[in-house]
């Protein structure tokens, strides 16, 4: 097998032409990623490449089109809208965040809905559009026909909150109280910092070293441990008080001595200065031969084939990032086989549950087949390598270096299946020296996301909604699809693809980093995307209408009357979904949210292929 260094890296979209039209908020992320994958500007780049008016949006104000064409492929088009429902009232980033529950989940730390100052829904939508285009091109390369791909920002928003929605519709309550509170902490010399540990012993030792009250240390662990699930961490105020009595140097020393990790919240200016310009993923062909016979199955003829039908994905994922990537590949038609430890994934029992299975686990893993493999056992590692012979993708997010130590890295699996797409979804991609633990909140802190997520009049704070785990999972699926297409166009040779939470952070903050590099303030203005209180809830004006809408006192009006008053003055707004549990009954999503076989709420597929 040739070494990667001896192989010419061919991007999967080389030779294809790209055209785009519509709102730049919707086209921007998609166009940027398609260009990174090799697509070039077509003869109509930037012009309207639409084939007729969009019946769902006859004025074209909320619809974007992104298309690819070139030798060997029929023209492939993606239609991207703010909302799949024209009557849903979602016409920009602010209203999508409001209606889909993003504001509600992000605001839990503060006790009230808050808008993200980054364009989270639009960024996810752009990645979904790229996924749809890559999947459709892959289907063409495998002998299928072109399909029109449709996706929307409201579907993207529902996907982003799917774990919280599933938990809200479970049979039981959360394991901990959902109440305001959470990091970051502040040192005596004013340093904002994030704390991370997965070990309760390290948590206790760190706080004991700082002389925190025993009761506060004990009471704080459980809400800290579950903050990934609940998007809030109401631990005792005494822990914040303790942090404020010690210098940052003392806090760093305590963490190092106790096995915990701390990370100072970096600014966007700092991140912009060190940014290396790398793409959010990398693709490296092995340069070997085609995959062994039997490693590819054609779609079953008795049902309409989704783009990835007939392909097999082995997924050894933990928590959110890799399981979500594999979940998306499954929605596109792949047969996903989940590798779990003996006794099954412990997260199956994470509360709250539906029919005895964790609702959050179902949101990421429903529809997958599970196989128990003890990767500490030499015999089971051989069995996993044998399974890889018949697979198209192997996907994992183990700790850095673990796959190589186990003999399960790309070089090992390529030896048994040179046509395998080997995918690793990690934390830092080896791009940050002396990086802390590669978890969502630590990456948010280190890359300036904590500053970008809030407007100028609010102190920086990483969102306790798992922004980067979700976006990282989406980028992982995008990278796998790019690898599969590259394999098809490269004669069947395998590809290693790497994606990361760092890539997700840079993708999300790209507009802010560009502002920083130009010497402008990278943060959004004071009060940006702050919902307005009504007598019975909250409303969110569009970004363009927000300054004028803020002049009205709506606190005495019911939500419907407040919306009517703004409309009478030519201002657009939508009601804020204050609780994800309300989403299944929201008329903005008619028939969209169903329940799975276990009774857990399930969001709709984020794309359609016509």
């Amino acid at each position: 097998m040739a070494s990667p260094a001896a192989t010419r890296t061919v991007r999967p979209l080389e030779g294809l032409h790209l055209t785009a039209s519509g709102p730049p908020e919707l086209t921007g992320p998609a166009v940027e990623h398609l260009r990174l994958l090799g697509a070039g500007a077509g003869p109509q780049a930037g012009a309207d490449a639409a084939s007729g008016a969009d019946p769902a949006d006859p004025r074209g104000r909320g619809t974007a089109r992104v298309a690819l064409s070139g030798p060997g492929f029929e023209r492939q088009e993606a239609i991207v809208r703010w909302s799949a429902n024209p009557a849903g009232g979602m016409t920009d980033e602010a209203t999508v965040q409001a209606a889909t529950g993003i504001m509600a989940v992000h605001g839990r730390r503060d006790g009230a809905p808050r808008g993200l100052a980054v364009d989270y829904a639009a960024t996810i939508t752009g990645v979904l559009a790229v996924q749809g285009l890559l999947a459709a091109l892959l289907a063409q390369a495998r002998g299928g026909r072109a399909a029109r791909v449709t996706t929307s920002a409201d579907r993207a928003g529902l996907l982003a909150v799917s774990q919280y929605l599933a938990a809200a519709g479970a049979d039981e309550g959360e394991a901990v109280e959902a109440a305001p509170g959470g990091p970051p902490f502040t040192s005596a010399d004013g340093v904002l910092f994030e704390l991370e540990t997965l070990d309760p012993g390290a948590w206790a030792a760190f706080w004991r070293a700082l002389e925190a009250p025993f009761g506060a240390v004990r009471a704080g662990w459980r809400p800290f441990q579950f903050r990934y699930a609940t998007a809030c961490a109401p631990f005792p105020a005494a822990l914040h008080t303790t942090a404020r009595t010690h210098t940052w140097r003392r806090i760093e020393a305590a963490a190092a001595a106790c096995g915990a990790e701390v990370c100072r919240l970096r600014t966007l200016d700092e991140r912009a200065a060190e940014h290396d310009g790398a793409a959010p993923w990398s693709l490296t062909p092995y340069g070997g031969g085609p995959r062994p016979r039997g490693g590819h199955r054609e779609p079953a003829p008795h049902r309409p084939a989704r783009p990835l039908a007939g392909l097999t994905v082995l997924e050894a994922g933990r928590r959110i990032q890799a399981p979500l990537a594999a979940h998306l590949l499954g929605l596109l038609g792949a047969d996903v086989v989940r590798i779990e430890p003996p006794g099954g994934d412990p997260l199956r029992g994470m509360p709250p549950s539906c029919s005895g299975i964790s609702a959050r686990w179902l949101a990421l893993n429903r529809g997958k087949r599970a196989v128990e493999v003890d990767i500490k056992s030499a015999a089971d590692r051989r069995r996993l390598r044998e399974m890889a012979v018949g697979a198209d993708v192997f996907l994992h997010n183990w700790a850095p270096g673990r796959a190589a130590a186990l003999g399960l890295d790309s070089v090992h699996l390529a030896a048994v299946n040179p046509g395998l797409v080997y995918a690793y979804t990690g934390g830092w991609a080896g791009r940050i020296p002396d990086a802390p633990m590669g978890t969502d909140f630590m990456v948010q802190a280190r890359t300036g996301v904590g500053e970008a997520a809030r407007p100028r009049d609010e102190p920086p704070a990483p969102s306790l909604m798992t922004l980067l785990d979700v976006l990282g999972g989406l980028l992982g699926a995008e990278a796998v699809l790019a690898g599969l297409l590259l394999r098809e166009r490269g004669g069947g040779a395998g590809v290693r693809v790497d994606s990361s939470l760092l890539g997700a952070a840079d993708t999300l903050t790209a507009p802010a980093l560009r502002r920083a590099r130009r010497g402008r303030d990278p943060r959004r203005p004071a009060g940006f995307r702050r919902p307005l209180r009504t007598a019975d809830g909250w409303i969110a004006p569009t970004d363009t209408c927000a300054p004028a809408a803020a002049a009205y006192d709506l606190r005495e009006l019911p939500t419907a009357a407040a919306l009517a008053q703004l409309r009478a003055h030519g201002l657009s707004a939508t009601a804020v979904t204050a609780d994800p549990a309300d989403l299944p009954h929201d008329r903005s999503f008619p028939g969209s949210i169903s329940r799975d076989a276990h009774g857990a709420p399930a969001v709709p597929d984020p794309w359609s292929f016509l």
Side-chain angles (χ1 to χ4, degrees):
M1 184 180 69
S3 68
T7 305
R8 175 177 175 264
T9 299
V10 180
R11 294 181 294 175
L13 299 183
E14 281 191 3
L16 299 186
H17 300 301
L18 166 66
T19 58
S21 64
E25 300 92 338
L26 291 176
T27 60
V31 167
E32 181 178 356
H33 283 205
L34 293 170
R35 286 175 174 163
L36 287 171
L37 291 169
Q44 299 180 15
D48 188 353
S51 54
D54 180 3
D57 183 23
R59 297 184 180 180
R61 294 177 179 175
T63 300
R65 281 179 166 81
V66 182
L68 294 167
S69 59
F73 292 95
E74 298 179 58
R75 173 187 167 85
Q76 187 63 61
E77 182 180 63
I79 297 177
V80 188
R81 303 187 182 102
W82 284 114
S83 176
N85 176 19
M90 288 164 276
T91 57
D92 74 342
E93 175 74 27
T95 50
V96 168
Q97 285 192 25
T100 60
I102 291 175
M103 285 189 177
V105 176
H106 171 61
R108 285 180 178 177
R109 180 190 178 280
D110 301 290
R114 289 287 181 96
L116 287 162
V118 286
D119 292 347
Y120 190 62
T123 301
I124 291 178
T125 307
V127 176
L128 288 170
V130 174
Q131 290 174 0
L133 287 168
L134 291 172
L137 289 170
L138 179 62
Q140 284 194 55
R142 297 172 64 212
R145 298 294 303 274
R148 174 175 285 183
V149 183
T150 303
T151 190
S152 59
D154 60 340
R155 293 286 177 92
L158 291 177
L159 177 67
V161 302
S162 58
Q163 304 160 67
Y164 307 99
L165 169 61
D171 302 333
E172 60 184 7
E174 292 281 7
V176 296
E177 176 190 14
F185 300 95
T186 307
S187 69
D189 40 355
V191 175
L192 291 171
F193 68 95
E194 181 64 73
L195 167 68
E196 183 65 280
T197 178
L198 307 180
D199 178 5
W203 161 270
F206 170 76
W207 288 110
R208 283 199 301 268
L210 298 180
E211 301 178 327
F214 175 78
V217 176
R218 183 175 182 179
W221 167 248
R222 193 166 177 83
F224 179 83
Q225 178 190 22
F226 278 92
R227 71 198 190 285
Y228 284 90
T230 60
C232 58
F235 43 67
L239 298 184
H240 283 287
T241 302
T242 297
R244 285 193 291 267
T245 63
H246 297 279
T247 65
W248 172 235
R249 179 174 293 184
R250 174 74 182 90
I251 289 166
E252 282 187 301
C258 300
E261 295 199 33
V262 291
C263 180
R264 174 176 65 84
L265 265 62
R266 302 293 183 100
T267 67
L268 290 163
D269 286 328
E270 288 177 292
R271 179 63 191 144
E274 71 173 1
H275 192 268
D276 56 9
W281 19 244
S282 63
L283 290 79
T284 309
Y286 297 134
R291 56 190 174 276
R293 181 179 296 274
H296 175 76
R297 297 194 303 276
E298 293 301 323
H302 64 278
R303 62 179 176 84
R306 289 177 288 169
L308 269 58
L311 301 183
T312 298
V313 175
L314 299 182
E315 175 235 315
R318 305 176 303 163
R319 303 185 80 158
I320 297 172
Q321 186 183 12
L324 176 57
H327 174 66
L328 291 165
L329 298 173
L331 293 180
L332 288 167
D335 178 21
V336 180
V337 181
R338 181 165 167 77
I339 307 302
E340 299 191 357
D345 185 351
L347 293 182
R348 288 175 180 264
M350 183 181 188
S353 66
C354 288
S355 302
I357 301 179
S358 168
R360 290 190 180 86
W361 189 91
L362 287 168
L364 299 171
N365 297 291
R366 65 169 59 90
K368 300 176 183 177
R369 295 190 290 126
V371 175
E372 293 184 13
V373 175
D374 183 2
I375 59 175
K376 298 179 182 178
S377 159
D380 270 16
R381 291 197 298 274
R382 285 194 298 271
R383 183 160 68 98
L384 183 54
R385 284 190 285 270
E386 290 169 1
M387 294 170 64
V389 172
D392 297 276
V393 177
F394 179 72
L395 168 68
H396 74 90
N397 65 340
W398 294 329
R402 192 178 190 202
L406 293 169
L408 296 172
D409 206 355
S410 55
V411 65
H412 305 109
L413 296 190
V416 300
N417 182 355
L420 185 71
V421 172
Y422 184 99
Y424 178 52
T425 60
W428 298 104
R431 290 166 49 201
I432 300 290
D434 300 321
M437 191 183 303
T439 59
D440 189 309
F441 305 143
M442 294 294 266
V443 178
Q444 284 196 53
R446 177 62 179 75
T447 59
V449 173
E451 188 176 72
R454 291 178 175 262
R456 292 174 200 158
D457 58 334
E458 298 180 23
S463 175
L464 289 179
M465 181 177 171
T466 51
L467 302 182
L468 300 186
D469 274 334
V470 170
L471 181 52
L474 283 154
L475 290 172
E478 182 184 65
V480 168
L481 290 165
L484 287 167
L485 182 59
L486 182 55
R487 182 181 75 169
E488 289 295 328
R489 300 192 76 188
V495 182
R496 174 169 177 135
V497 300
D498 289 84
S499 60
S500 64
L501 297 180
L502 176 61
D506 288 342
T507 297
L508 183 60
T509 59
L513 295 177
R514 283 193 289 269
R515 291 193 293 270
R517 284 191 289 268
R518 293 167 185 160
R520 297 166 51 194
D521 190 333
R523 301 184 75 186
R524 297 316 246 287
F528 188 69
R529 291 194 186 138
R530 192 166 296 159
L532 304 177
R533 196 75 168 94
T534 66
D536 57 356
W538 304 82
I539 63 170
T542 63
D543 284 339
T544 55
C545 293
Y552 293 89
D553 186 352
L554 307 173
R555 290 172 296 178
E556 302 296 325
L557 295 177
T559 296
L563 291 171
Q565 178 171 324
L566 293 183
R567 280 195 299 269
H569 291 88
L571 302 175
S572 298
T574 193
V576 175
T577 299
D579 186 343
D582 297 333
L583 287 169
H585 317 292
D586 193 321
R587 288 178 293 180
S588 298
F589 310 105
S592 295
I593 299 171
S594 59
R595 288 188 178 268
D596 65 15
H598 300 277
V603 302
D605 289 4
W607 339 256
S608 63
F609 296 85
L610 301 177

